[in-house]
Amino acid sequence: MIRNIAERAVLVLSWTLTAMLCAVVLVFVGYLLINSLPGLGMELIFGAVPPLDALLGRARVFDGIFAALAGTLLLVAGSTALAVPTGVAAGIYLAEYASPSIKRLFGFFFDLLAGIPSIVIGLFGFSVAIFLHQRFSGRIGPCLLISAMSLAFLVLPYVIRSTQVALENVPATIRKTAPALGATRLQNIVHVLVPRALAGIVSGIMLAIGRCAEDTAVIMLTGVVATAGVPRSPLSSFEALPFYIYYISSQYTDPAELSRGYGACLILMATCALLFMLAYSIQRSLTYRSLFRL
């Protein structure tokens, strides 16, 4: 009797807290939507420039967020290209090759790295840019490449840990089948373990991409500026949506400009939501495929 009452109380409390959380999210999204409605439209992205001219690079967008959106996508692509190969390789090493003592040591190091505030990593990237500027070339400074490297360093622990956990969770029966048939350790990893754990690996990668898209502290110190335009090279300054939102919210001059900031918030949230939905769909698809093969 008492046990049933306790279980019902826990169930009611869980549903109540879940409903409160959903209500807060809905209120937050609704607030953004209401405040961004006056500024939503193609003008928010392209300003007074025809969309085709902006996409083809024939005209520069000064009063829209096209350059910030392009810079965000380039930043995410660059940081992902730097973080994914290193993170997946390190995760495979920790899961399949490292001894227990090495695994504990590096696991502690990566957990510590994951807890470092992003502003500290941004300051480190800024210091690297200054060092390269003084020692190698005056053309090197805070730029898209330095920001991508700093963000890759920021999300590296997530990629490493997701790869390690996904590989370690592969069932022992699957793990031992290929070696029992004469496969080497490398063949077992490439042809059996990684495909079986690919859903978890891809999920971690996509979550890391979402983190790259929304971080502001790192890019503020490593190359983002307000009116840089679409970057022409990795050594150029750039614009990004998170910094655009910060800039507008802190220095807006009229309600219409603030409404564009709310619209940029909505677009950034939609971008991150699409990335998370893509991660979930890829995870489900790869999981079903791996189960079907088995």
Side-chain angles (χ1 to χ4, degrees):
M1 181 69 179
I2 298 178
R3 184 177 180 180
N4 292 334
I5 294 175
E7 289 179 355
R8 290 182 180 180
V10 171
L11 182 61
V12 171
L13 179 62
S14 301
W15 275 105
T16 302
L17 295 177
T18 303
M20 290 175 59
L21 178 60
C22 293
V24 170
V25 173
L26 290 175
V27 169
F28 177 69
V29 175
Y31 177 81
L32 284 180
L33 185 60
I34 292 172
N35 285 276
S36 62
L37 280 177
L40 287 179
M42 297 300 293
E43 294 80 10
L44 174 64
I45 300 177
F46 299 105
V49 177
L52 186 60
D53 291 343
L55 292 173
L56 295 179
R58 295 186 299 203
R60 182 175 174 180
V61 178
F62 288 97
D63 52 350
I65 64 172
F66 174 73
L69 184 59
T72 300
L73 295 177
L74 291 173
L75 182 66
V76 169
S79 57
T80 303
L82 293 172
V84 169
T86 305
V88 171
I92 292 174
Y93 170 76
L94 289 178
E96 302 300 326
Y97 291 99
S99 62
S101 59
I102 295 296
K103 187 179 296 187
R104 287 193 298 269
L105 176 62
F106 279 92
F108 173 77
F109 173 76
F110 292 131
D111 290 340
L112 185 64
L113 181 61
I116 295 178
S118 58
I119 189 68
V120 176
I121 295 179
L123 183 59
F124 173 75
F126 177 75
S127 301
V128 170
I130 297 300
F131 174 79
L132 295 176
H133 179 82
Q134 294 177 345
R135 297 290 182 176
F136 293 95
S137 173
R139 295 183 55 193
I140 301 177
C143 58
L144 179 63
L145 179 61
I146 299 297
S147 292
M149 293 172 59
S150 301
L151 282 176
F153 192 70
L154 177 68
V155 303
L156 199 56
Y158 304 102
V159 180
I160 293 173
R161 279 304 196 182
S162 64
T163 302
Q164 179 187 356
V165 171
L167 289 171
E168 290 177 345
N169 287 337
V170 174
T173 54
I174 299 176
R175 180 182 297 275
K176 296 178 180 178
T177 300
L181 296 175
T184 63
R185 174 181 286 187
L186 181 59
Q187 290 173 334
N188 188 35
I189 293 173
V190 173
H191 297 290
V192 178
L193 298 183
V194 170
R196 184 64 177 82
L198 195 57
I201 296 174
V202 171
S203 178
I205 292 172
M206 297 304 294
L207 291 176
I209 291 174
R211 177 70 189 273
C212 292
E214 55 84 21
D215 193 271
T216 308
V218 172
I219 62 176
M220 284 180 62
L221 295 173
T222 55
V224 69
V225 294
T227 57
V230 178
R232 300 297 181 182
S233 73
L235 298 180
S236 302
S237 299
F238 64 99
E239 298 181 44
L241 281 176
F243 182 76
Y244 177 86
I245 295 168
Y246 165 77
Y247 178 81
I248 289 295
S249 63
S250 60
Q251 301 188 29
Y252 70 94
T253 56
D254 54 57
E257 193 172 7
L258 182 60
S259 178
R260 292 197 296 270
Y262 281 116
C265 290
L266 205 60
I267 292 177
L268 181 59
M269 287 185 59
T271 303
C272 294
L274 288 175
L275 290 174
F276 293 143
M277 291 173 62
L278 179 62
Y280 179 72
S281 61
I282 291 175
Q283 182 182 19
R284 288 179 60 88
S285 175
L286 293 176
T287 301
Y288 288 151
R289 288 183 181 181
S290 62
L291 291 176
F292 179 75
R293 290 177 181 176
L294 294 175

